[in-house]
Structure formats: structure tokens, C-alpha cells
Amino acid sequence: MTKLESLRKSLFIFSLLLLFLSACSNEGSETSANEAKDSESQNVGLDNFDDNSSVSVEELETDTQDQGADRVSNTETLQNFDQMIIYTGELSIIVDNYTDTQSLIEEEIAQYGGFIAETSVYQHGENESQSGYITVRIPQKYFYPFLNELEANSIEVLEKSTNGDDVTEEFVDLDSRLKSKEIVEERLTSFLEDAENTEDLLVISQDLSEVQEEIEQLVGRMNYLEDRVALSTVTVHMEERAVNVSSLHDGETLNTLERAQSLFMDTINTLITIFSRLFVFIIGLSPIIVPLIILGFGVFLLKKRQKKNKTDQI
């Protein structure tokens, strides 16, 4: 082997050694940089508090969303939640008897574990027919069986409508926002404990109060959705179509003898009244009536005599 070849071989080995050392150095630098970046990201809120003596809720929320993205957005997705549907229904029916149908509904609601939210009854016409509505809250699994049972016990179904509102996506979004707000609440609480002056204490307290209020609103909305999903709402409009048949009256109700006596006495009183008025009429007009009667009687006798004379002459 010549000296030139030996020199080339030495340079090649030295170059490989430099490349290896350079790669190790870069890997160590990247690891250190990543660790530093993570540490800076984890303490961004605290650094702001120490350097600026103030806390930015927006920065905390942005940092929380970055750190909690894998924990909230990626793991608790729609696939990890049961489908949440709010069922509502309206049913208009004609029934034989309103009171009996309402009692039947109350029994079914008690059996299904629901409750009556609102009810109203109206009275109509001379036949005293009833109509009204009743609003019930019933567990979701009994929603359709309850409607089918009402249809089966009615004379006629005038109108029926059902609606299902899928609120799964809204609930998941609320849940994600709630977790982010809770993380911000924890950080603000820790900052509040480390506050060194009154100005920082007031600023952090105000921010913490606003975050807690937002948490209460989110929790309230989530509870409302859960309640609406768990208990479906059904409004039943009922109209009574009943023929009222009058019952037979008993003897005491009819009062036949008393009513006959009353009619007889009314007739006698009427006749007496008529004759009394006629007597008063005759007596009152006697100065005129008596001469007219005498005159009429005289004319009658005169004509009768004249007729008799004519007969005798023949």
C-alpha cells in the first residue's frame, strides 16, 4: 500500500467519525430544544404572571386548547358519545269520555315513570261535552309505545306529529368547552394563590369569576339537554264526542199527582177569571145593553104579530 492510498484511507475514516459526532450533537440539540419548548408551553401562563404581573385569560384558553387538544378534541369525539335525541310529539284525538281518557293517561304516566307537566279542560254546549289538552313528560324509551296506546284507545286520530332533534354534536362541543374552562379555572386559582400584590389579586379574581360564570352556563345548558333527552314531551289534545241519553225520572222526580192538581186548579182559576170578567163587562154595559135587548125583543114581537095577521087573512 502506497503512502497516498494510506492517506486517503485515513481521511475517509476521519470524515465518517466527524459525521457521526455531528449527528449525535444535532439529536441532542433537538431533544433539548423540544424539552425547552414543552416547558415553555406548560408555563406560559405562569411566565406571563411573573413577568407582566397580569394574567390574560385569552392566552390561557389558547394555551389550554393547544395542550388539551389531544385529551379533549381527539379522544372525546362524537363516536364516543351515545346519540342524544330530543323527542317531542303532538296528538289530537276524539274520545268517548274525556274524564276516563285523562284517568287512563295518568295511570300510564305513573306506570312509565313520567309526570304531567300541564293540563287544561273546557266545557262546551248544552250537551256539556268536554275538550282540552294534557302535556306529559315521559322516559324516551316509552315515547312511541305511549303514542300507540293513546291511538288505540281513541275513536279517531285527527292529527299526529313527532319530531326528533339530534343534539349530540352540541353536547360534545359543550363538553369540550367545559373541560377547557375548567383547566383555565385551575390555572387562575393557582395564580390567585401566588399573587403578590392587590392589583394582581383583583385582576385574577375578576377573570376567575368570569370563567366560573361561563362554566355554570355550560353546565346548565348540558343539564337541560340531558333532561330533554331523558324525558320526551308529548302534548295530547282531546275532544269528547259523547251522546248524552237522558235517564228515566222516578216518581219523586216527576211529581205526577202534584202537577195534575196544579193544572186542575189553574184551569178552574182561568174559568173563574173569564166568567168574572164577563159579568163585570155585562154589568158595566147594562145601561146600553138592556135597552137594546128590550128594543130587540119588541121588534121581534112586532114582526111575529104581523106575520100572524097575514096568515089569518089568507
Side-chain angles (χ1 to χ4, degrees):
M1 180 182 296
T2 62
K3 292 183 178 180
L4 181 58
E5 292 176 352
S6 178
L7 180 60
R8 287 178 178 177
K9 186 176 181 180
S10 299
L11 290 174
F12 178 74
I13 295 173
F14 181 72
S15 299
L16 291 176
L17 182 61
L18 287 177
L19 290 174
F20 177 76
L21 293 175
S22 177
C24 291
S25 177
N26 289 335
E27 182 178 358
S29 299
E30 291 177 358
T31 302
S32 300
N34 290 334
E35 292 178 353
K37 182 178 179 180
D38 293 341
S39 177
E40 180 181 0
S41 176
Q42 293 175 358
N43 296 304
V44 61
L46 188 58
D47 290 341
N48 289 337
F49 173 70
D50 292 337
D51 297 338
N52 303 326
S53 298
S54 64
V55 177
S56 174
V57 176
E58 290 77 8
E59 291 181 2
L60 288 177
E61 291 181 348
T62 302
D63 182 54
T64 299
Q65 292 174 358
D66 293 339
Q67 294 185 21
D70 294 337
R71 182 170 47 184
V72 177
S73 300
N74 294 334
T75 59
E76 296 182 354
T77 58
L78 292 174
Q79 290 78 9
N80 294 334
F81 278 82
D82 294 332
Q83 194 173 22
M84 303 182 66
I85 300 178
I86 298 176
Y87 285 108
T88 56
E90 285 200 24
L91 186 66
S92 297
I93 58 177
I94 296 177
V95 298
D96 283 324
N97 187 283
Y98 187 96
T99 304
D100 293 343
T101 304
Q102 182 173 350
S103 299
L104 177 63
I105 292 175
E106 292 174 353
E107 292 177 1
E108 291 182 353
I109 292 300
Q111 181 181 356
Y112 292 151
F115 64 91
I116 296 176
E118 186 178 1
T119 182
S120 181
V121 184
Y122 308 96
Q123 203 85 12
H124 300 283
E126 296 179 355
N127 60 353
E128 298 182 351
S129 62
Q130 293 179 319
S131 66
Y133 69 91
I134 180 171
T135 301
V136 302
R137 301 291 308 283
I138 189 170
Q140 187 186 92
K141 62 180 179 179
Y142 298 120
F143 178 73
Y144 287 106
F146 176 69
L147 290 177
N148 295 334
E149 186 71 19
L150 287 178
E151 290 184 50
N153 287 279
S154 65
I155 297 177
E156 180 183 356
V157 177
L158 300 178
E159 184 179 358
K160 177 183 178 181
S161 64
T162 59
N163 180 62
D165 185 14
D166 191 344
V167 295
T168 311
E169 185 174 355
E170 180 184 358
F171 190 85
V172 171
D173 178 65
L174 291 172
D175 185 71
S176 299
R177 291 167 56 190
L178 177 62
K179 286 180 170 57
S180 298
K181 294 293 183 182
E182 288 175 343
I183 294 175
V184 173
E185 181 186 24
E186 292 178 1
R187 290 196 173 187
L188 288 174
T189 302
S190 65
F191 294 164
L192 187 64
E193 295 175 353
D194 297 334
E196 297 180 353
N197 53 65
T198 304
E199 182 179 359
D200 291 342
L201 183 64
L202 293 176
V203 172
I204 298 173
S205 297
Q206 182 178 357
D207 292 341
L208 181 60
S209 177
E210 293 176 357
V211 171
Q212 289 174 341
E213 182 178 354
E214 293 175 357
I215 289 176
E216 291 178 358
Q217 294 175 354
L218 292 172
V219 171
R221 178 61 180 174
M222 292 174 69
N223 290 338
Y224 172 81
L225 293 179
E226 288 179 335
D227 175 71
R228 289 292 168 176
V229 170
L231 295 175
S232 302
T233 303
V234 179
T235 300
V236 184
H237 300 271
M238 295 180 290
E239 180 180 345
E240 185 179 62
R241 183 178 292 175
V243 178
N244 295 328
V245 180
S246 300
S247 59
L248 293 175
H249 296 286
D250 54 18
E252 294 181 359
T253 304
L254 293 175
N255 297 323
T256 304
L257 182 60
E258 289 80 358
R259 293 174 65 183
Q261 291 175 349
S262 176
L263 179 60
F264 177 78
M265 295 305 299
D266 289 341
T267 304
I268 296 299
N269 290 330
T270 301
L271 292 175
I272 293 174
T273 301
I274 293 174
F275 285 112
S276 175
R277 290 180 179 178
L278 181 60
F279 180 77
V280 172
F281 178 77
I282 293 174
I283 296 300
L285 296 178
S286 59
I288 299 175
I289 294 175
V290 170
L292 289 175
I293 292 174
I294 295 174
L295 180 61
F297 184 72
V299 173
F300 173 74
L301 292 176
L302 181 61
K303 287 184 176 182
K304 186 175 180 181
R305 181 176 296 179
Q306 290 177 353
K307 184 177 180 181
K308 184 178 179 180
N309 293 331
K310 290 180 178 179
T311 304
D312 293 338
Q313 291 176 0
I314 294 174

